[in-house]
Amino acid sequence: MIKQEWKNKTVVTGFILLGFGNRPELDSLLFLMFLSIYIVTITGNTFIIVLMVANRHLHTPMYFFLGNLACLEICYSSTILPKMLLSYLGGDRSISVNRCFTQYYFFGCLAAAECYLLAVMSYDRYLAVCKPLHYPSRMNGKLCLQLGAASWISGFLSNSILTFLISDLDFCGPNEIEHFFCDSFPIIKLSCSDTHVAGLVTSVVAGVCSLPPFLLTFSSYLCIIITVMRIPSASGRKKAFSTCSSHLIVVILFYWSILTVYVLPHHDTQISPNKVFSVFYTILTPLVNPLIYSLRNKEVKEALRKQ
C-alpha cells in the first residue's frame, strides 16, 4: 500500500478504510445488516421509480421530482455500500487511491445534488400550497425538466474542482482513513502536502452546496406553515399540510444528520459520533425515503391499489 521512491520519499498507493473498528467478530453481523439495508434501499427506490412511470395519475411535478430523488438514492447507496459489503465479507479493507478519489467524487456530487433536489421539491410544495392557482402554469413540464437537470448538473460540477485539488495532494503515510468511506476531511488529514487551499475550498464548496438549498427549503416551509395556519378549518389545514409532510420528514432527517456531523467536534474514539451520524445521511436516508413516501402518501397507496 506504501512504496518507497528514489528520493527517500514514501508514496501511498492505497488506503485502508477503518470502518467501525477492528472487530472481526462483528463483521458477519455488520455484513448482514448492511446487505439487508442495501437490498431494501435498491428495491424500494426502484419500486418508486417503476410506480411513477407506470401510473399516469402520478405524472405530476411532485412525483417527477420524487422519481429523480429515488434514482439519486440508488446511485448514492451504490457509491458506498458495495465496497463496505466486500470489506466485511472478505476482510479486505484496502482501497486504491484512484478508487478512493472516484468514490469521493461521486459521493460528493450526489450529496450536493440531493441538497439541490430537496430544495427544488420544497419550492414545488411552496407553489402548490401557497400559490395553488398559479401552480399549473408555473410548474410546467419544461420547468420541471430544467430544475431536475439543474440539480444533477450543479451537484456534479460543484465537486469536480474539489476532487481535483484533493487528488493532487501528496500522501506519504499513514494510509488509514478513519471512516467507512472516502470523505474529504479524513483524506485531507492524511496528506503530507500543504492542505490549506484544499481545506478552504472544501469548506467553501460545502457551504455553497448546502447553505443556499437549506435556506430556500427553510423559507419555503416557513411560508407553507404560515399559509396553512391561515386556513380556517382544521380539516383544511390537515389536508394542506399532508401534501408536504413526507418531504419535510426527509429534509429534517437529511439536514439534521449532516449538520450534526459538522457541528460535533472530532472524537478519537474507535467509533466516533461523527462516523455514526454519517450513517444517517449516507445509508439510512436512502433507505427511509421510499418507506416514508409510500406509507405516508395517499396518492401512492391509491396507485398501489389500482395496480
Side-chain angles (χ1 to χ4, degrees):
M1 304 299 292
I2 301 178
K3 67 179 181 180
Q4 192 79 19
E5 290 203 336
W6 61 277
K7 290 184 178 180
N8 289 326
K9 176 183 176 183
T10 56
V11 177
V12 170
T13 59
F15 297 111
I16 305 294
L17 293 170
L18 296 181
F20 294 97
N22 188 19
R23 302 284 296 275
E25 66 276 13
L26 294 179
D27 283 359
S28 297
L29 178 62
L30 290 172
F31 172 78
L32 292 175
M33 181 180 70
F34 287 119
L35 177 62
S36 301
I37 290 175
Y38 188 52
I39 291 174
V40 174
T41 298
I42 298 300
T43 303
N45 283 287
T46 301
F47 175 75
I48 291 291
I49 294 172
V50 172
L51 187 64
M52 300 303 118
V53 174
N55 195 297
R56 61 183 181 85
H57 296 291
L58 300 180
H59 292 177
T60 62
M62 175 182 174
Y63 294 105
F64 170 77
F65 295 128
L66 176 56
N68 274 266
L69 181 63
C71 181
L72 188 148
E73 301 293 27
I74 291 174
C75 300
Y76 199 41
S77 298
S78 299
T79 301
I80 297 173
L81 279 171
K83 174 56 185 174
M84 285 183 63
L85 293 173
L86 288 175
S87 66
Y88 287 124
L89 183 63
D92 182 13
R93 301 191 180 187
S94 63
I95 183 171
S96 68
V97 171
N98 289 336
R99 288 186 179 181
C100 187
F101 291 145
T102 300
Q103 184 188 60
Y104 166 67
Y105 171 71
F106 283 104
F107 159 74
C109 292
L110 293 168
E114 181 157 359
C115 290
Y116 292 126
L117 188 57
L118 289 175
V120 168
M121 294 175 73
S122 69
Y123 177 68
D124 172 72
R125 292 300 84 205
Y126 160 76
L127 289 180
V129 175
C130 302
K131 308 286 184 181
L133 297 180
H134 301 284
Y135 180 73
S137 59
R138 289 191 180 183
M139 193 57 69
N140 51 53
K142 182 179 179 181
L143 181 60
C144 288
L145 289 174
Q146 290 174 340
L147 291 175
S151 299
W152 286 88
I153 294 172
S154 298
F156 275 81
L157 289 179
S158 62
N159 204 44
S160 298
I161 298 177
L162 180 56
T163 304
F164 174 78
L165 287 175
I166 294 177
S167 64
D168 199 44
L169 296 174
D170 292 325
F171 297 91
C172 311
N175 66 333
E176 294 181 339
I177 297 178
E178 184 59 45
H179 219 314
F180 56 87
F181 69 99
C182 295
D183 200 3
S184 56
F185 285 116
I187 295 176
I188 292 174
K189 185 179 178 181
L190 298 180
S191 175
C192 53
S193 305
D194 182 3
T195 60
H196 176 73
V197 174
L200 180 62
V201 174
T202 298
S203 300
V204 171
V205 170
V208 170
C209 293
S210 60
L211 189 56
F214 174 75
L215 292 177
L216 176 60
T217 302
F218 176 79
S219 59
S220 295
Y221 276 105
L222 183 61
C223 293
I224 288 173
I225 292 172
I226 293 174
T227 301
V228 169
M229 294 307 295
R230 290 175 179 172
I231 299 177
S233 65
S235 60
R237 289 195 297 269
K238 182 179 179 181
K239 182 179 179 180
F241 195 72
S242 66
T243 62
C244 55
S245 58
S246 297
H247 180 248
L248 182 58
I249 292 173
V250 173
V251 168
I252 290 174
L253 178 62
F254 182 74
Y255 278 109
W256 168 74
S257 57
I258 282 185
L259 292 175
T260 303
V261 167
Y262 288 98
V263 168
L264 284 178
H266 177 74
H267 295 267
D268 291 323
T269 55
Q270 199 170 42
I271 301 180
S272 70
N274 282 8
K275 197 184 299 183
V276 173
F277 281 110
S278 294
V279 173
F280 281 89
Y281 70 87
T282 59
I283 296 174
L284 295 185
T285 300
L287 171 69
V288 301
N289 276 354
L291 298 177
I292 290 175
Y293 279 108
S294 59
L295 294 177
R296 293 182 56 85
N297 197 294
K298 292 182 179 179
E299 290 176 300
V300 171
K301 290 187 284 188
E302 183 65 25
L304 287 174
R305 284 194 290 266
K306 293 180 178 179
Q307 292 299 316

